Amino acid sequence: MASKPRAWQRMLSGRRLDLLDPTPMDIEIEDIAHGLAFVARWNGQTFGDFPYSVAEHSLLVEQIYGRLYPKAPVKWRLAALLHDAPEYVIGDMISPVKNAVGSGYGELDERLTTAIHVRFGLPAKTPVTVKKAIKRADKISAWLEATQIAGFSVEEANKLFGRANPEYTRGLDIHLRAPRIVREAFTERHNALLAEL
């Protein structure tokens, strides 16, 4: 009789995270921060000496979300920071690949998001209005990344991600940092937001 394929991953914290049935008890922010700091956005096709990580992107999205919605509750700023957190174990795929893969990736992402949210005191399901607000910040972040580090022209980025309002992008320059530094920055920001809940 064939054994079932392994569906868990051992994390550096020592936790065994079941990817198909994740539980909040197996989620640690240090594992998320470490994993995201080593996952490259844009499939690594960015200028610079370090990859532009999902952790760095997440910090930028949370910052933009705060500019867009300065009176939003802290829990939604935390949700913005954690919006791509499942990618610490399932990786980042560019949108065309996600579309080609189909619903399987989305289902994994959703289960992991639920476990992560419950672990850090957020609602298991993010309200649709908040999801859309985070997606708005995410698109502005994508526009900044595309034009600053991924080689897109402003015209091309405008077509793909929408025109970015300078009110929300002013002063947001992307500087690539070593994974260790980004990991620490992500963990510190997470802990600061958690302390405000």
Side-chain angles (χ1 to χ4, degrees), residues 8-78:
W8 57 266
Q9 178 172 342
R10 185 191 181 284
M11 310 311 293
L12 289 178
S13 65
R15 301 279 189 190
R16 286 190 178 190
L17 180 66
D18 186 329
L19 301 176
L20 301 179
D21 188 23
T23 66
M25 294 305 295
D26 292 322
I27 307 289
E28 297 293 343
I29 194 58
E30 292 80 10
D31 292 332
I32 293 172
H34 182 82
L36 294 183
F38 282 92
V39 175
R41 294 239 327 142
W42 303 94
N43 281 342
Q45 297 302 304
T46 53
F47 301 115
D49 294 327
F50 296 107
Y52 182 70
S53 72
V54 175
E56 195 81 78
H57 162 76
S58 298
L59 288 162
L60 182 58
V61 168
E62 189 267 327
Q63 188 176 8
I64 293 168
Y65 182 85
R67 287 183 176 195
L68 290 168
Y69 310 100
K71 294 183 180 179
V74 173
K75 66 181 176 181
W76 301 138
R77 294 212 43 179
L78 180 58

Side-chain angles (χ1 to χ4, degrees), residues 1-191:
M1 178 177 270
S3 62
K4 273 177 76 175
R6 178 172 64 92
W8 57 266
Q9 178 172 342
R10 185 191 181 284
M11 310 311 293
L12 289 178
S13 65
R15 301 279 189 190
R16 286 190 178 190
L17 180 66
D18 186 329
L19 301 176
L20 301 179
D21 188 23
T23 66
M25 294 305 295
D26 292 322
I27 307 289
E28 297 293 343
I29 194 58
E30 292 80 10
D31 292 332
I32 293 172
H34 182 82
L36 294 183
F38 282 92
V39 175
R41 294 239 327 142
W42 303 94
N43 281 342
Q45 297 302 304
T46 53
F47 301 115
D49 294 327
F50 296 107
Y52 182 70
S53 72
V54 175
E56 195 81 78
H57 162 76
S58 298
L59 288 162
L60 182 58
V61 168
E62 189 267 327
Q63 188 176 8
I64 293 168
Y65 182 85
R67 287 183 176 195
L68 290 168
Y69 310 100
K71 294 183 180 179
V74 173
K75 66 181 176 181
W76 301 138
R77 294 212 43 179
L78 180 58
L81 181 70
L82 296 171
H83 79 285
D84 279 340
E87 293 177 10
Y88 84 110
V89 287
I90 60 175
D92 181 39
M93 285 190 211
I94 59 173
S95 295
V97 175
K98 284 181 188 174
N99 295 335
V101 169
S103 62
Y105 181 90
E107 290 166 9
L108 275 175
D109 185 272
E110 194 173 307
R111 284 195 291 270
L112 284 161
T113 296
T114 298
I116 290 164
H117 279 204
V118 171
R119 171 67 174 89
F120 298 116
L122 295 171
K125 300 292 179 206
T126 306
V128 173
T129 54
V130 175
K131 266 188 171 181
K132 286 181 178 177
I134 293 170
K135 189 64 182 170
R136 184 177 173 207
D138 194 33
K139 281 193 153 194
I140 294 170
S141 175
W143 185 93
L144 283 166
E145 295 162 19
T147 57
Q148 291 187 21
I149 60 170
F152 288 64
S153 69
V154 169
E155 295 76 23
E156 193 176 16
N158 286 347
K159 285 180 191 169
L160 291 170
F161 308 110
R163 191 176 303 274
N165 184 334
E167 178 184 347
Y168 304 120
T169 60
R170 192 170 290 114
L172 295 178
D173 297 320
I174 296 172
H175 301 284
L176 302 182
R177 303 183 284 177
R180 177 187 57 79
I181 295 168
V182 180
R183 178 181 64 215
E184 290 168 2
F186 184 93
T187 305
E188 284 172 18
R189 185 62 186 147
H190 173 268
N191 292 341

